[in-house]
Amino acid sequence: MIRTLAVVSALAVATIAAPAIAAGPFDAALAGPWRSDANKARDQYRHPAETLKFFGIKPTDTVVEIWPSGGWYTEVIAPALKGKGQYIAAHNNPLASMGAAKSVETFKTKFADKTVFGDIKVTPFGKDAYDIAAPGSADVVVSFRNVHNWHMGGFDQAAFDAFFKALKPGGTLGIVEHRLPEDRPDAAMKTSGYMKVSYVKMLAEKAGFKFVGASEVNANAKDTKDYPKGVWTLPPNYAEGDTDRAKYAAIGESDRMTLKFVKPKQ
């Protein structure tokens, strides 16, 4: 009897010592059957749960994602907000080109199922198209690996100004971007796809944002950032084709800054 009680007591202690881990707001979406195996395989490089947690996104928020492209992050964010918050895709400006218009229509078709993704709103964003959401209406604006495009297009500051306008006072701007070492020439930001942290901070602060902090969750020390075809040499693009493909696959996706800013309340 004494031995039996001892075993029961040990099991009780073990149970107390291993409490259930609370599910995060994006866990169900990350495991969703609408995500392809190829998209799920990229979680190891993009760390979506940790990144979105760092940005502080809640299921009741109004979230604007800038240039979601094919919707890799849409598949994660929109289902988590369904019925409680609002997901807004500030996609390409369909008036810019036939390609941009087609991209927007493809996105709308992919995410038309409201039972999974909720009522997604799509707004235009690009050079001379900055009304991404009603002024002061968004809780969070996020962008993933896009700042270099705006920089090369000559409208990076206008983009950050638009984000500031769309956010509520106290709202958050979350930026993930390929990271260029500070000792590299500024000119490399025009051609490599990599951006300096100092430059991105400057854009945000000039728009009126205050820097909150940085996370190294998307860092990759293997990325040497010195490829002839820039960041597109690495997966998933493999700009060199089969040349040194195994080498670049071993490096993985790029080293990235993950920055959080806030729009001051006053």
Side-chain angles (χ1 to χ4, degrees):
M1 177 65 72
I2 294 175
R3 183 179 180 182
T4 301
L5 290 174
V7 171
V8 171
S9 298
L11 289 173
V13 170
T15 301
I16 294 172
I21 299 174
F26 303 101
D27 289 356
L30 286 167
W34 55 87
R35 299 187 73 216
S36 67
D37 290 342
N39 278 357
K40 290 179 180 179
R42 299 182 73 183
D43 290 354
Q44 63 179 309
Y45 303 118
R46 297 185 168 187
H47 310 98
E50 297 89 342
T51 298
L52 297 175
K53 181 180 179 180
F54 176 69
F55 291 153
I57 295 176
K58 302 184 297 296
T60 54
D61 284 343
T62 294
V63 178
V64 183
E65 183 182 356
I66 311 299
W67 275 4
S69 188
W72 193 93
Y73 257 104
T74 309
E75 294 180 347
V76 179
I77 300 174
L81 302 183
K82 180 175 67 74
K84 300 179 286 291
Q86 176 68 63
Y87 175 87
I88 300 174
H91 214 289
N92 292 325
N93 179 6
L95 300 179
S97 67
M98 290 183 63
K102 183 177 180 180
S103 177
V104 172
E105 288 308 310
T106 299
F107 179 89
K108 288 181 177 179
T109 300
K110 179 178 179 179
F111 294 101
D113 189 346
K114 294 183 180 181
T115 63
V116 175
F117 304 109
D119 188 10
I120 289 177
K121 293 183 179 179
V122 180
T123 58
F125 173 76
K127 194 170 186 178
D128 301 322
Y130 302 116
D131 294 328
I132 58 175
S137 65
D139 296 289
V140 185
V141 172
V142 291
S143 179
F144 306 95
R145 308 167 312 283
N146 284 312
V147 181
H148 61 281
N149 292 308
W150 312 328
H151 183 61
M152 290 187 286
F155 61 99
D156 50 8
Q157 189 60 64
F160 277 78
D161 292 344
F163 307 157
F164 190 86
K165 181 180 178 181
L167 281 164
K168 299 175 181 178
T172 296
L173 171 65
I175 296 290
V176 176
E177 178 57 288
H178 313 295
R179 177 165 45 192
L180 185 71
E182 294 291 329
D183 60 358
R184 301 280 177 90
D186 286 351
M189 292 190 288
K190 282 287 189 180
T191 59
S192 69
Y194 292 93
M195 299 294 296
K196 293 184 178 182
V197 171
S198 60
Y199 186 82
V200 176
K201 285 183 177 180
M202 181 274 293
L203 292 172
E205 290 169 355
K206 188 174 180 180
F209 289 101
K210 299 297 182 184
F211 177 63
V212 174
S215 170
E216 289 299 298
V217 67
N218 293 304
N220 181 0
K222 296 179 182 179
D223 181 6
T224 57
K225 312 166 189 180
D226 56 358
Y227 318 109
K229 295 186 178 180
V231 71
W232 304 281
T233 305
L234 298 177
N237 298 95
Y238 290 109
E240 294 277 12
D242 290 334
T243 302
D244 293 326
R245 191 179 183 92
K247 169 187 172 182
Y248 299 130
I251 292 172
E253 295 191 17
S254 68
D255 173 55
R256 294 159 186 169
M257 66 181 87
T258 304
L259 308 178
K260 183 176 181 179
F261 302 90
V262 66
K263 178 176 179 176
K265 292 185 177 180
Q266 293 184 356

